[in-house]
Structure formats: C-alpha cells, structure tokens
Amino acid sequence: MITADELLCMRWNANLSRGSQGAPLVPPLFVAEQGPGVAMVDVRRPQEATGVLGYIPGSAFPDAQKLEERTGGQQLRPLVLISANGDEAATVARQLELRGVPYVAAMAGGLAAWQSLGLFTSRDPSGI
C-alpha cells in the first residue's frame, strides 16, 4: 500500500523539471494542488510581499540563516521556494540541493506565473 507521503514524492518527481542552470523547478499549478503538503518559503524580503505581486498566504519568510537552519535537519515536507519571477528562488533551490537537501525546488515562473493562472495572492502585512 502506498502512503500519502510516498504518493506526494512520486508526484513531486513526476512534476520536477530543470532550469537552464540546472535548478530544480516545479510548476505553480502543482504547488497549488498540494496545499499544505508542501512547505512554501518566499525568499524575498518581507517588505516586497506587500508590493504588486503580493505573497501566497501560508508562505514563510525566513532570512538566509533561518532557511539554513530549517533545511539543516530532518525535512518533513517538500520545500518550494518562491520569488517574484522564480530566478532568485531557483538559485537558492540549486544551492540547497547541492548541499543535500532532498525535495527542494523553486516554483517555476515565481509569483508572476502564479498570478497569471488566476491563483490568489495577498498583500496584507499581517500575514507575513
């Protein structure tokens, strides 16, 4: 019998692609479909989250040191990194992957791609 975690890992691998620099990427619709099954980390500064693109509710905004701490131990859920257009998140995802972090990827196209699909973002500063 396949567990929910095993199924998520299989779906993760089926949706994973590579960017031009080798960064692991997953599509925004896949991220949306997973809901709380994935941990979303916005790699932008929290101040950017109240701008035009907003942020995805439920995303964490750890600084670089806290992100290192978060991925240094046992990772409980796949980790999706988010940035405005996906480039910054892809760079960080590749670095983490090279350090041995499993199931880490950037959301392809970033928040711009998320919004182009009509998916919800918020600019409410209380959610950051």
Side-chain angles (χ1 to χ4, degrees):
M1 178 118 174
I2 296 175
T3 68
D5 289 340
E6 291 170 330
L7 182 59
L8 176 57
C9 290
M10 289 180 349
R11 291 198 62 210
W12 178 273
N13 290 329
N15 283 276
L16 189 70
S17 64
R18 296 280 167 182
S20 61
Q21 302 297 316
L25 304 172
V26 289
L29 191 54
F30 171 77
V31 176
E33 291 170 346
Q34 303 320 302
V38 297
M40 293 183 290
V41 173
D42 198 316
V43 299
R44 301 174 301 157
R45 293 186 325 261
Q47 303 88 313
E48 295 176 77
T50 56
V52 174
L53 291 173
Y55 63 93
I56 300 170
S59 296
F61 288 86
D63 61 27
Q65 182 178 355
K66 287 183 182 171
L67 182 56
E68 283 293 324
E69 291 169 7
R70 180 184 193 125
T71 58
Q74 182 70 16
Q75 185 177 331
L76 300 177
R77 299 182 287 169
L79 179 61
V80 177
L81 303 177
I82 301 164
S83 62
N85 64 9
D87 292 343
E88 184 180 1
T91 299
V92 176
R94 182 70 175 141
Q95 291 170 352
L96 291 174
E97 182 182 57
L98 290 172
R99 290 187 198 135
V101 175
Y103 300 105
V104 61
M107 186 170 72
L111 284 163
W114 179 272
Q115 281 189 337
S116 75
L117 293 171
L119 298 168
F120 180 75
T121 60
S122 176
R123 290 189 268 176
D124 181 358
S126 67
I128 300 172

